[in-house]
Amino acid sequence: MAAVLAFLLGTAAPLLAQQSAATVPEARVIRDLVLKGDLGTGKEKRSLSGIACAPPPGPGPRACILVGDEKDLMWSATLAGETIRLDARLHPAQAGAGELDLEGATFAAAPEGGAYYVTGSHGASRSEGQYEARRFQVFRIPTDPTTGAIAPGGITSTRALENVIAAIPGLARLACREGTTCARLDADGLNIEGIAARDGALYFGLRNPATAGATILKVPANALFAGPAPKAEVLRVQLDAGIGVRDLAPVAGGFLILAGLGRSDDHLAARRSVIHFWDGRSETAKPLAQITSADDGKPEALQLITDSIAGKPYEVLVLMDGVKDGAPRVYEVPAP
């Protein structure tokens, strides 16, 4: 832990040697999907930032949740064949000014059923650089134990992660806090964009800070919703310089990381992201394939469709931010 904190404070030893992601091949496109339904206004149609799907009860459709970083965008959905069907808009009962700025979603199985977890950015508003309390929440949405469909009602939320981050040396100074001057994204202001669940823990992937590597916070899920803020395990992952986590997906033996620019999206490099394999413990991640948008979209959300078995490729679904309906597309990604 001491070494990790030293890294976050900028006093760590020279970075580990790593394989650059600059030369990895493009992921092979398997198929394009169609989103059926109306996400809402013009901004909402171009703001999908997270997707999570429950394991199917058998061959056939999968229950999912879609979230976006505009206008409190949260939908239950169904993934079936070559379509994603919007089922019902969800309305978390949260008062206060500003947007929820939802950036990631994951599904966690449990003996009694399971739940989706959705995270806000925990960062300052991009336009004003202000603290808005609604951005600093993690939601838990219970599901039907048989189908994985979202159960009626029962959505809960917590703001405990804000205090968890504030207790981490090296991150607290970059975090946006009520009553303080907030660092914006382009000034390395803290921002969460990825989330994954495994073995009772939630892994929060930080898009920023990413000047000297990426940071992932591991927090017990139940403790996060149960009262006093738990302690986080701070995990360090060496990606290329200035590259942070845009999303996470649990796979056998570890996680896939969708990695992209930590800072501004206002140039062509923002359209390129690289999928890495990370074992969930070490400081290195192996680049597997790159995803490049053909337009102004940025690869933003990652959902595993088929895990790698005996060296066979992964199949993953990627959504683009800034493109109508997220331009959902399934890719083949080589095994590590």
Side-chain angles (χ1 to χ4, degrees):
M1 178 64 75
V4 172
L5 297 181
F7 158 76
L8 292 169
L9 288 166
T11 60
L15 300 179
L16 295 174
Q18 60 173 313
Q19 177 186 352
S20 173
T23 58
V24 297
E26 286 278 346
R28 186 177 74 85
V29 177
I30 298 177
R31 62 186 179 275
D32 290 326
L33 305 185
V34 176
L35 188 141
K36 292 188 174 181
D38 188 359
L39 285 168
T41 66
K43 279 190 174 182
E44 290 173 306
K45 294 178 190 296
R46 301 188 302 273
S47 68
L48 287 179
S49 56
I51 181 171
C53 298
R62 298 178 66 173
C64 305
I65 191 169
L66 289 172
V67 301
D69 53 14
E70 293 281 351
K71 305 290 181 68
D72 301 353
L73 192 65
M74 185 187 294
W75 282 84
S76 62
T78 300
L79 173 61
E82 297 184 356
T83 66
I84 302 173
R85 185 188 70 236
L86 298 179
D87 293 329
R89 187 154 188 169
L90 307 177
H91 299 279
Q94 296 297 322
E99 297 174 336
L100 293 178
D101 195 21
L102 303 175
E103 292 288 0
T106 189
F107 177 79
E112 66 277 12
Y116 294 104
Y117 290 88
V118 172
T119 184
S121 66
H122 290 71
S125 63
R126 183 171 300 192
S127 58
E128 302 296 334
Q130 294 178 342
Y131 176 91
E132 296 178 353
R134 300 185 78 220
R135 297 170 178 262
F136 294 78
Q137 297 179 91
V138 181
F139 293 89
R140 179 159 56 189
I141 302 106
T143 63
D144 182 279
T146 302
T147 65
I150 293 173
I155 299 178
T156 57
S157 69
T158 177
R159 288 181 55 191
L161 187 60
E162 180 179 358
N163 294 324
V164 172
I165 294 170
I168 300 173
L171 285 185
R173 65 185 178 85
L174 298 172
C176 185
R177 298 280 285 170
E178 188 170 12
T180 67
T181 300
C182 295
R184 298 190 187 192
L185 187 66
D186 285 348
D188 289 331
L190 190 142
N191 186 276
I192 293 172
E193 287 215 357
I195 182 173
R198 164 158 285 154
D199 298 332
L202 295 175
Y203 293 74
F204 295 91
L206 273 60
R207 172 179 174 177
N208 251 343
T211 53
T215 302
I216 296 173
L217 306 179
K218 180 181 177 182
V219 184
N222 286 337
L224 195 64
F225 284 80
K231 290 184 178 180
E233 182 178 352
V234 183
L235 304 169
R236 163 189 173 182
V237 185
Q238 291 303 326
L239 305 175
D240 281 349
I243 300 298
V245 176
R246 303 306 289 265
D247 206 358
L248 296 163
V251 296
F255 300 84
L256 295 181
I257 299 176
L258 179 65
L261 282 179
R263 286 193 174 196
S264 175
D265 282 343
D266 297 332
H267 45 81
L268 294 178
R271 289 167 29 189
R272 176 181 175 274
S273 293
V274 176
I275 295 178
H276 297 67
F277 174 80
W278 174 55
D279 65 9
R281 303 179 304 276
S282 65
E283 294 186 8
T284 58
K286 182 177 181 180
L288 304 177
Q290 64 176 296
I291 307 290
T292 304
S293 172
D295 43 40
D296 290 333
K298 280 80 67 176
E300 184 82 1
L302 182 68
Q303 168 65 42
L304 180 69
I305 301 298
T306 303
D307 211 333
S308 173
I309 300 174
K312 292 184 178 180
Y314 302 101
E315 289 188 11
V316 299
L317 169 62
V318 175
L319 299 178
M320 303 281 177
D321 184 27
V323 180
K324 183 177 181 293
D325 293 341
R329 175 172 282 181
V330 177
Y331 295 86
E332 181 180 275
V333 175

